[in-house]
């Protein structure tokens, strides 16, 4: 393959990454909470019942915000069920995932877990089966200091200080017919606006996320965002986006091209939000919260919602990620970085066991899935100023299959560069990090990078995630089959050259002299 070039310049900037770009998500779904982050009988459990081995991996993964309690779950959730004395908490039929919810973990335990992990909480309210009144009551319970029924109830439960939760989601995927209490855009826009109004009266410091389309392929996409934002524009700071990349078609080149559809989705939502701003004669800019993104297909169709006997924490959606999945996932990280000017929050869905970078055995060990590594790179090294990259790379064309929506869709993806890149300059760390995805399955890539305005660069570290078998996975018995290795082919002088293996995710960290 011919040589590829990347040119970047210190002053040619996309934007600053927000800390919240590197978030994740935990839902009452399968073994994400129970047997995932929370397992009081586990040998590593803390005094609060949190799995210590999972906390250790979470610190290595370094998510910055955590969305909770759903997802589909939140649209049928009574937050009151999950607070107060354990013996009084009800067991409920949970209709999103057809399980029994024991409610031994709830809002206060979530806050304690976030504090233990050093993560900012992001709480979702139920605007499916419930509405503004419950949202206002939850806000009073969580964020009001004392002297009222619900704030004093929290104190009587053992949490003297208010939780001070800043970031809130106004429901989840309300546009989806599968959602409990799904709504039209007008119905949701009105309910979201009223909930936002009441919540902000209690705590004006909160930041709110309005529900956007649950996928770019939804038949209501576009109309939904416009109508919802017309109702909520002055009350919210964010609109949400969700995407799960898939390889149903067993077409690896198309799968690896599919993160570029996230770029298109983001750019379309920005245009719609800014068009509403123009209609309203406002110069306010609504930011984007990409609060569900991941690769998910093996356990998505069929398996997800069929089970008998209403089990507690059944092992569902336990997607085993391969090398190929880590590459598509890395492409999504690059798409998010390259829109750091408007995507100011994002959540990898999810964190443990259910479509997750961390797997556990209940009572047993915890280990890293393949997608763990690109996320850890993205979060630990991706903070700073994202620079524009001018890329010269051969391209390919493909068609991507997307099953959600009224009909199965095929998105043509013309002219995808084999090389997908993001570059982040951290003035604080005195470093530039280059994230490079080589999507060519057969050939390595010789890349030459010119970094204008950075006269004295030196190599700090370079790693590659590559495996000859694109189906290779990490399992309980072979936990490190796929893991990053040093990338030895990098040289740094007045320009940087590197040879990237075929089908690889690469990270080059350069010290700025
Ligand atoms: O993350 C799994 C599910 O995907 C979430 O509960 C829902 O919001 C989405 O459809």
């Amino acid at each position: 393959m011919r040589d590829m070039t990347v040119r970047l310049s210190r002053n040619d900037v996309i934007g600053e990454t927000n800390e919240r770009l590197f978030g994740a998500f935990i839902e009452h779904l399968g073994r994400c909470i129970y047997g995932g982050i929370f397992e009081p009988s586990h040998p590593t459990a803390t005094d609060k019942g949190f799995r210590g081995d999972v906390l250790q991996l979470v610190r290595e993964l370094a998510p910055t915000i955590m969305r909770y309690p759903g997802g589909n779950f939140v649209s049928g959730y009574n937050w009151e069920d999950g607070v107060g004395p354990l013996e009084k908490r009800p067991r409920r039929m949970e209709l999103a995932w057809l399980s029994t919810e024991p409610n031994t973990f709830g809002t206060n335990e979530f806050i304690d877990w976030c504090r233990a992990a050093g993560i900012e909480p992001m709480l979702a309210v139920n605007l499916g089966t419930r509405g503004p009144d419950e949202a206002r009551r939850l806000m009073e319970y969580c964020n009001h200091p004392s002297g009222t029924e619900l704030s004093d109830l929290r104190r009587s439960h053992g949490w003297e200080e208010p939780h001070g939760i800043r970031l809130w989601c106004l429901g989840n995927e309300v546009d989806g017919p599968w959602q409990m209490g799904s709504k039209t855009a007008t119905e949701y826009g009105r309910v979201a606006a009223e909930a936002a109004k009441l919540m902000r009266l209690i705590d004006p410091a909160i930041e709110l996320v309005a529900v956007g389309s649950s996928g770019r392929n939804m038949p209501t996409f576009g109309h939904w965002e416009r109508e919802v934002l017309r109702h909520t524009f002055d009350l919210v700071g964010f609109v949400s986006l969700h995407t799960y990349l898939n390889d149903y078609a067993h077409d690896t080149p198309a799968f690896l091209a599919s993160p570029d559809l996230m770029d298109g989705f983001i750019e379309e939502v920005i245009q719609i939000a800014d068009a509403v701003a123009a209609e309203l004669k406002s110069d306010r800019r609504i930011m984007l919260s990409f609060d569900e993104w991941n690769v998910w297909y093996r356990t998505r169709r069929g398996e997800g919602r069929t089970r008998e006997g209403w089990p507690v924490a059944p092992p569902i959606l336990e997607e085993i990620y391969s090398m190929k999945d880590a590459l598509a996932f890395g492409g999504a990280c690059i798409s998010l970085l390259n829109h750091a000017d408007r995507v100011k929050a994002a959540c990898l869905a999810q964190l443990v066991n259910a479509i997750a970078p961390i797997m556990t055995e209940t009572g047993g060990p915890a280990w890293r899935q393949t997608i763990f590594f690109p996320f850890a790179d993205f979060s630990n090294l991706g903070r700073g100023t994202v620079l524009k990259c001018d890329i010269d790379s051969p391209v390919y064309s493909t068609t991507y299959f997307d099953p959600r929506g009224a009909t199965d869709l095929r998105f043509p993806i013309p002219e995808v560069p084999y090389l997908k890149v993001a570059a982040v300059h951290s003035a604080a760390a005195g470093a530039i990090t280059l994230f490079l995805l080589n999507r060519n399955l057969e050939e390595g890539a010789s890349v030459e990078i010119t970094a204008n305005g950075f006269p004295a660069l030196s190599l700090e570290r370079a790693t590659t995630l590559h495996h000859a078998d694109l189906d290779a996975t990490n399992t309980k018995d072979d936990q490190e089959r796929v893991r990053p290795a040093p990338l030895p082919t990098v040289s740094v002088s007045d320009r940087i050259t590197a040879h990237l293996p075929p089908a690889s995710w690469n990270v080059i960290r350069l010290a700025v002299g």
Side-chain angles (χ1 to χ4, degrees):
M1 175 171 285
R2 78 171 162 80
D3 288 357
M4 306 178 190
T5 59
V6 178
R7 279 191 304 279
L8 56 92
S9 170
R10 190 175 198 135
N11 297 324
D12 205 1
V13 163
I14 292 174
E16 298 295 315
T17 59
N18 190 293
E19 281 284 297
R20 290 170 170 165
L21 187 64
F22 310 99
F25 172 33
I26 51 176
E27 176 169 359
H28 287 252
L29 189 184
R31 295 191 310 120
C32 182
I33 305 288
Y34 305 110
I37 64 162
F38 183 68
E39 193 181 331
S41 60
H42 193 268
T44 69
T46 66
D47 57 346
K48 293 186 190 295
F50 306 145
R51 277 187 70 144
D53 55 350
V54 171
L55 271 173
Q56 207 174 319
L57 287 175
V58 169
R59 289 191 190 104
E60 193 185 316
L61 189 71
T64 49
I65 55 172
M66 197 60 60
R67 183 167 177 253
Y68 173 86
N72 295 338
F73 171 83
V74 76
S75 294
Y77 186 47
N78 298 336
W79 65 267
E80 301 88 340
D81 293 349
V83 298
L86 279 178
E87 62 282 6
K88 292 201 176 143
R89 297 192 194 177
R91 289 167 69 85
R92 290 241 185 251
M93 294 177 82
E94 200 291 288
L95 304 185
W97 305 106
L98 306 181
S99 316
T100 295
E101 173 52 53
N103 281 308
T104 51
F105 187 98
T107 305
N108 297 319
E109 289 79 18
F110 168 64
I111 295 297
D112 281 354
W113 185 86
C114 286
R115 304 287 181 244
I119 290 172
E120 180 189 356
M122 179 190 203
L123 209 64
V125 299
N126 175 355
L127 295 187
T129 60
R130 307 185 86 188
D133 189 46
E134 290 81 6
R136 122 185 121 90
R137 290 172 63 82
L138 176 59
M139 179 63 64
E140 181 183 325
Y141 180 90
C142 288
N143 279 18
H144 192 64
S146 64
T148 63
E149 182 201 337
L150 293 169
S151 57
D152 287 342
L153 184 65
R154 181 200 68 243
R155 294 171 64 226
S156 77
H157 290 160
W159 282 265
E160 179 64 32
E161 296 302 320
H163 294 325
I165 302 165
R166 291 289 298 264
L167 192 56
W168 294 75
C169 302
L170 294 165
N172 175 71
E173 294 193 350
V174 191
D175 62 327
W178 60 89
Q179 201 70 204
M180 286 177 264
S182 66
K183 294 176 175 51
T184 66
T186 309
E187 288 167 347
Y188 170 71
R190 287 292 304 126
V191 166
E194 289 305 313
K197 187 169 85 186
L198 303 189
M199 292 164 78
R200 285 162 53 103
L201 284 170
I202 295 169
D203 185 349
I206 58 171
E207 296 167 75
L208 295 171
V209 183
V211 164
S213 294
S214 29
R216 191 191 191 195
N217 52 5
M218 292 298 286
T220 49
F221 169 56
H223 161 75
W224 177 274
E225 280 74 7
R226 197 169 53 247
E227 180 68 6
V228 166
L229 287 176
R230 281 174 176 162
H231 288 284
T232 58
F233 192 84
D234 290 324
L235 295 161
V236 303
F238 301 84
V239 63
S240 72
L241 297 82
H242 292 180
T243 290
Y244 293 97
L245 304 174
N246 81 77
D247 189 22
Y248 286 117
H250 303 289
D251 179 345
T252 306
F255 181 38
L256 299 191
S258 66
D260 293 30
L261 294 171
M262 283 174 64
D263 296 272
F265 187 22
I266 291 168
E267 284 152 25
E268 287 163 356
V269 173
I270 292 170
Q271 285 176 17
I272 296 164
D274 292 354
V276 176
E279 275 178 21
L280 300 176
K281 316 279 178 286
S282 171
D283 57 7
R284 249 188 114 226
R285 287 292 171 261
I286 298 288
M287 297 299 159
L288 275 52
S289 172
F290 216 123
D291 49 38
E292 287 189 32
W293 67 272
N294 198 349
V295 169
W296 177 22
Y297 53 105
R298 295 181 185 84
T299 59
R300 185 159 185 186
R301 297 175 110 181
E303 189 259 329
R305 295 192 187 214
T306 45
R307 70 201 60 85
E308 287 176 7
W310 298 89
V312 174
I316 54 170
L317 276 52
E318 299 205 352
E319 189 100 351
I320 306 301
Y321 289 106
S322 65
M323 176 65 219
K324 164 179 79 174
D325 299 331
L327 297 176
F329 185 97
C333 295
I334 291 174
S335 297
L336 293 171
L337 286 171
N338 283 337
H339 293 90
D341 52 334
R342 291 299 287 269
V343 182
K344 293 293 180 188
C347 302
L348 157 60
Q350 299 194 8
L351 185 71
V352 190
N353 290 329
I355 48 172
I358 299 171
M359 285 299 292
T360 72
E361 183 179 73
T362 303
W367 61 97
R368 302 167 191 80
Q369 293 234 57
T370 60
I371 61 170
F372 184 100
F373 302 107
F375 189 92
D377 290 333
F378 166 64
S379 182
N380 285 300
L381 303 173
R383 304 181 196 192
T385 308
V386 184
L387 305 174
K388 279 185 195 147
C389 290
D390 181 10
I391 299 163
D392 183 13
S393 156
V395 296
Y396 67 101
S397 298
T398 184
T399 305
Y400 173 68
F401 170 71
D402 201 335
R404 202 183 226 180
T407 49
D408 288 347
L409 297 174
R410 284 192 167 271
F411 284 94
I413 317 183
E415 306 257 301
V416 189
Y418 280 101
L419 183 66
K420 188 169 168 96
V421 182
V424 182
H425 172 217
S426 166
I432 302 178
T433 306
L434 299 160
F435 301 90
L436 304 117
L437 175 67
N438 179 13
R439 303 191 251 210
N440 192 310
L441 305 183
E442 312 298 335
E443 294 179 38
S446 289
V447 185
E448 184 183 274
I449 302 144
T450 316
N452 291 320
F454 296 103
L457 295 173
S458 58
L459 184 63
E460 223 173 82
R461 55 167 270 200
T463 55
T464 187
L465 189 68
H466 163 75
H467 198 287
D469 179 2
L470 284 179
D471 293 324
T473 59
N474 292 342
T475 60
K476 181 190 154 200
D477 297 324
D478 194 354
Q479 296 182 8
E480 300 206 341
R481 187 162 174 229
V482 179
R483 63 179 170 159
L487 178 69
T489 55
V490 183
S491 85
V492 184
S493 56
D494 58 331
R495 51 198 57 198
I496 305 117
T497 59
H499 188 78
L500 314 178
S504 61
W505 161 260
N506 306 276
V507 179
I508 300 175
R509 178 91 162 171
L510 302 158
V512 176

